Amino acid sequence: MFLKDGARLANVVNVFKAKVDRGPKFKFGIQVPRSPRHAMELDSMTGTTAWQESMGVELEQINEYKTFRVLEEGELLPDSYQKIPYHMVFDVKFDLRRKARLVAGGNWTDPPKEDIYSGVVSLDTIRLGFALAAMNNLTVCAADVSNAFLYGSTKEHCFVIAGPEFGSGVEGKRLVIDKGLYGLRSSAARFHEHLASKLRLLGFKPSRVDNDFWIRKKEDHYEYLATYVDDILAFLRDPMGIIEVIKKSYSLKGVGAPEYYLGGNIDEVSGKQWIEDGVLTALSARTYIANVMEKLEKLCGVEQFAKANCPMSDIYHPELDETPLLDDLHSSKYRALIGSANWIITLGRFDIAYATMALARHSMAPREVHFKAMQRVFGYLRSHQKGQILIDAGQFDHSEYNAEAYESWGEFYPDAEE
């Protein structure tokens, strides 16, 4: 009976997965292709060449970094090398740029024994970095490492068979993967090691609060670097000095004062009262919300999300909803709304967190009113697009309070100083 029930459950899961996979995928309101052929079809439908250009850029850069080594006919490889497939993955960036990435089928390889992941700085730590910058008169500069994974050499022994996209002179030949190609299990870790070694040579070390928030002591202050895989934020009195040093090892793009980082805005605060109080910087999701709103409205087939004064009705309970289930297409659209809202929360709009989380519980079986409730969340954002997290570097005056000393403090914090 147990085996029979288990087989029945597995069959139901497979059927449901097939239904979900069949629906189109949307990100930020833009349909994402599933293959190069599908990408060409979408370009033809929209009258653009955005996806085709993204594929051309990717292959050009892979050749530039000498990611593959061509094996000529008769050349032998050690038995440790595995033949793996590859494919093209498509994505939409936070600023709505199309991105194509040649990805190796790393899941076909044996798992490496060492760590295979790259650490990333948390957005909470990024907010802390901006607060530290404001408190210590540091300037912030951003930079992005181009084709980061291709700087590290892979330790994995893999090769692929070249397809037509590599050109007639290479098609059909074996290509040994020499660099940390995307898709290999350990590529992220290899780049993290490569960058970490460079930063340590510059005198930085991981901070205790976050391993990817790097710190370097100066005479009267500290300097900081935040790394999110290939995105770098420098918090220094002279950030361009360290950027120029990093440029000697990596090709950098997007260098300058960060106005837009990981989908979020870094704004200069306006308003006389705030400026007088020393509040000069704010973090928000303003640009992302503005960019994605029109796409999502078009996706949902509405002229404009109806404005709302709160994200969710106080009398609506999503778990009690018994309206009809959505079809495959509208289920995909519902999950697109959930995904965009989740990122908006990550960027600091915590005011929509409860509504989004309550509705996200129903992502695999959304109903008609769930869909309408999720559209209300974006109607609320349309009404309140300018929400910000203010970076206040002001010092609090606690002189009116008497600090009571405890003997145990010295035991647990022996090195603490006021």
Side-chain angles (χ1 to χ4, degrees), residues 128-346:
L128 175 62
F130 277 98
L132 290 168
M135 294 168 65
N136 294 281
N137 298 317
L138 306 179
T139 303
V140 187
C141 183
D144 183 9
V145 180
S146 298
N147 293 288
F149 285 10
L150 302 184
Y151 284 96
S153 297
T154 185
K155 299 177 183 178
E156 300 182 54
H157 293 176
C158 308
F159 70 94
V160 302
I161 304 299
E165 58 270 20
F166 285 93
S168 58
V170 180
E171 183 179 1
K173 292 186 177 181
R174 293 169 298 165
L175 304 180
V176 173
I177 304 174
D178 283 339
K179 297 296 180 67
L181 185 63
Y182 289 85
L184 294 182
R185 293 177 184 267
S186 60
S187 291
R190 297 291 79 78
F191 172 70
H192 191 276
E193 290 173 0
H194 196 276
L195 179 59
S197 65
K198 299 293 183 182
L199 297 183
R200 286 190 171 93
L201 289 175
L202 296 176
F204 287 91
K205 61 181 181 179
S207 67
R208 294 182 181 181
V209 68
D210 191 319
N211 283 337
D212 292 281
F213 193 65
W214 299 76
I215 185 171
R216 183 170 72 176
K217 186 173 176 59
K218 301 297 283 186
E219 292 78 11
D220 61 344
H221 67 284
Y222 290 93
E223 298 176 331
Y224 309 95
L225 288 176
T227 58
Y228 193 103
V229 189
D230 54 357
D231 289 307
I232 300 173
L233 273 183
F235 303 87
L236 297 92
R237 298 265 169 91
D238 177 26
M240 286 307 300
I242 197 68
I243 293 296
E244 291 299 326
V245 174
I246 295 175
K247 268 186 178 181
K248 296 177 181 179
S249 301
Y250 301 103
S251 174
L252 301 181
K253 59 184 179 181
V255 176
E259 299 178 0
Y260 196 67
Y261 184 73
L262 297 178
N265 291 90
I266 295 94
D267 300 323
E268 292 185 5
V269 173
S270 60
K272 181 178 178 181
Q273 184 60 52
W274 287 118
I275 294 174
E276 288 179 353
D277 291 341
V279 179
L280 305 177
T281 306
L283 308 178
S284 75
R286 172 177 49 82
T287 298
Y288 176 79
I289 293 173
N291 286 344
V292 81
M293 193 68 70
E294 182 180 350
K295 299 286 184 182
L296 294 178
E297 287 169 342
K298 184 177 180 181
L299 178 71
C300 295
V302 297
E303 182 177 347
Q304 192 176 87
F305 291 125
K307 291 186 176 181
N309 289 324
C310 60
M312 178 183 281
S313 168
D314 59 348
I315 60 173
Y316 177 59
H317 299 280
E319 68 277 10
L320 301 180
D321 195 328
E322 295 183 348
T323 55
L325 291 167
L326 297 177
D327 58 25
D328 293 337
L329 177 61
H330 286 84
S331 293
S332 293
K333 293 179 179 180
Y334 180 81
R335 287 188 286 272
L337 292 175
I338 292 289
S340 291
N342 273 329
W343 186 247
I344 292 170
I345 295 168
T346 302

Side-chain angles (χ1 to χ4, degrees), residues 69-77 174 176:
R69 176 166 54 89
V70 180
L71 287 176
E72 299 301 335
E73 188 175 351
E75 189 175 350
L76 299 178
L77 275 177
R174 293 169 298 165
V176 173

